[in-house]
Amino acid sequence: MKRLVLETTAPFQGLPELVAYDEGLFEKEGLAVEWNDRDEAGIKTVESLTSTPKAVDPFGSHGKLLEQGKADMYNACEWGNYCRVGDTNVKSRQVGRRAIVTYAAIVVPPHSPVYTPQEMANRAVGVPFYAGTHYLALHLLEGFLTRDVIKLVSAPNGARNRLRMMMDGEIEATTLNEPYLTLAEKKGCRAICSSFFYGTEVASNRVDAETYAAFNRAVREAVRRINANKRAYLHYFLDYHKKRDPEIGTLKVEDLREGRIVVKDPAPIPFVEMQRTFDWLKSWGMLEETASPLDLVNADLQDKAHSAMAFR
């Protein structure tokens, strides 16, 4: 058995990996997968607000354990992973897109005067910098507003924390994924705009193409099983969070919308999209020291691993 240590993952970003682990699919591929809890990385509630990600550690929620040699791989949003591997000290690289396509929304509280994205001008949207919903908020809002009136502020990792801050009036809006988007709607909050977004896997130089191909074959089978009976797997979104948050325990599987849970086979990052993402991040003042998106992806391992997966 090949040992592979992963950073822990929530269902909204890693449902297929969790299913592959629980149903023995990694073992069938010869992988002994272990999880290292990201809470060890010092992830705490951050109450201070700042308006720029430049003062924020990109490894505050993902990647710190890999940087410390305590994990071999992690997955997070694609935009954030470009920035993380740009700052890596251990030569980590993206190696392909993860299997779940995450859904999230910008949400306002019930008493908010905001009903459309146009009305978000100069209103503070609390986001976790370097996480997927940080970049998603920029993409969503710049379709309706000029950049000079888009106002993002740093809010904690963990949708539970941001939802609480918004309901307490500390921020005017925030970004939420499942199951907290459903919980917010049950509280009367409104989703102003929403979208799906990709994430990627990041690997250390300890992961070879054969190992990553085996990992992806297990995940691909999990994707097949989830898509065959999606409702049977929605409980993951409640089970994961209700131990930490009793409010999630008030939700039922029937409250969750199947259409918000999208999984597909893991795949390489298309170069044309890689370049567009890179250029967009540069336009927001990120990746200033990086010359090419290919500096942030292990293209050789990505191609070999996904080719090997296709023939099995």
Side-chain angles (χ1 to χ4, degrees):
M1 283 280 188
K2 172 77 172 182
R3 180 172 177 261
L4 185 66
V5 181
L6 309 178
E7 292 188 4
T8 50
T9 184
F12 79 86
Q13 68 185 105
L15 177 62
E17 287 90 338
L18 296 171
V19 171
Y21 178 81
D22 289 344
E23 299 191 4
L25 302 178
F26 289 128
E27 292 177 358
K28 288 181 180 179
E29 294 294 339
L31 297 179
V33 166
E34 300 174 12
W35 301 97
N36 201 344
D37 195 336
R38 286 189 293 120
D39 284 341
E40 287 186 15
I43 302 166
K44 306 296 181 184
T45 299
V46 179
E47 299 295 343
S48 61
L49 300 179
T50 180
S51 60
T52 173
K54 291 188 177 182
V56 178
D57 181 3
F59 299 106
S61 61
H62 301 281
K64 184 168 287 189
L65 297 181
L66 188 147
E67 292 291 310
Q68 295 173 347
K70 297 178 180 179
D72 301 311
M73 285 177 50
Y74 65 88
N75 89 58
C77 91
E78 185 170 335
W79 303 299
N81 282 345
Y82 278 79
C83 296
R84 290 185 190 94
V85 300
D87 286 349
T88 184
N89 290 313
V90 296
K91 298 182 179 179
S92 66
R93 291 292 183 268
Q94 296 179 93
V95 290
R97 281 181 170 162
R98 68 189 181 197
I100 195 162
V101 188
T102 299
Y103 181 85
I106 297 175
V107 176
V108 296
H111 58 270
S112 173
V114 172
Y115 289 85
T116 70
Q118 293 96 322
E119 295 172 302
M120 289 302 306
N122 292 311
R123 294 184 181 274
V125 183
V127 300
F129 284 138
Y130 294 107
T133 59
H134 161 204
Y135 304 94
L136 183 70
L138 294 176
H139 273 294
L140 290 173
L141 292 175
E142 69 181 350
F144 297 90
L145 301 170
T146 56
R147 288 189 176 192
D148 60 305
V149 295
I150 295 174
K151 183 180 179 182
L152 301 189
V153 295
S154 177
N157 293 301
R160 170 183 56 168
N161 299 316
R162 297 194 304 281
L163 176 57
R164 175 188 57 78
M165 290 177 70
M166 183 183 74
M167 296 300 285
D168 289 347
E170 295 180 55
I171 47 180
E172 296 176 89
T174 193
T175 50
L176 298 175
N177 42 46
E178 291 293 12
Y180 283 93
L181 178 53
T182 292
L183 179 62
E185 289 174 328
K186 290 200 78 170
K187 289 174 175 285
C189 300
R190 296 188 297 279
I192 298 301
C193 48
S194 62
S195 181
F196 290 92
F197 62 91
Y198 279 116
T200 57
E201 303 284 352
V202 174
S204 74
N205 55 15
R206 296 185 298 274
V207 177
D208 57 28
E210 181 181 356
T211 300
Y212 185 48
F215 173 89
N216 277 337
R217 285 193 294 270
V219 170
R220 180 176 62 185
E221 173 58 20
V223 166
R224 186 194 67 78
R225 295 183 183 192
I226 294 167
N227 281 331
N229 187 6
K230 196 175 289 186
R231 181 148 295 274
Y233 293 96
L234 293 183
H235 69 90
Y236 272 81
F237 290 84
L238 305 183
D239 295 345
Y240 180 88
H241 292 283
K242 68 184 181 183
K243 301 171 190 176
R244 303 171 178 86
D245 186 354
E247 273 201 295
I248 294 299
T250 67
L251 298 178
K252 299 182 176 66
V253 165
E254 293 74 23
D255 294 322
L256 301 175
R257 301 186 195 178
E258 289 186 33
R260 291 177 176 173
I261 315 304
V262 172
V263 294
K264 57 179 288 193
D265 289 349
I269 308 167
F271 177 76
V272 65
E273 295 180 28
M274 190 188 305
Q275 185 67 56
R276 280 200 299 264
T277 298
F278 180 78
D279 292 340
W280 180 80
L281 287 166
K282 284 262 192 184
S283 77
W284 278 98
M286 293 174 250
L287 299 178
E288 292 174 319
E289 304 300 320
T290 307
S292 166
L294 292 175
D295 295 333
L296 307 173
V297 177
N298 187 334
D300 182 60
L301 188 149
Q302 175 179 254
D303 294 345
K304 287 179 180 177
H306 285 93
S307 294
M309 184 183 74
F311 290 106
R312 287 282 298 274

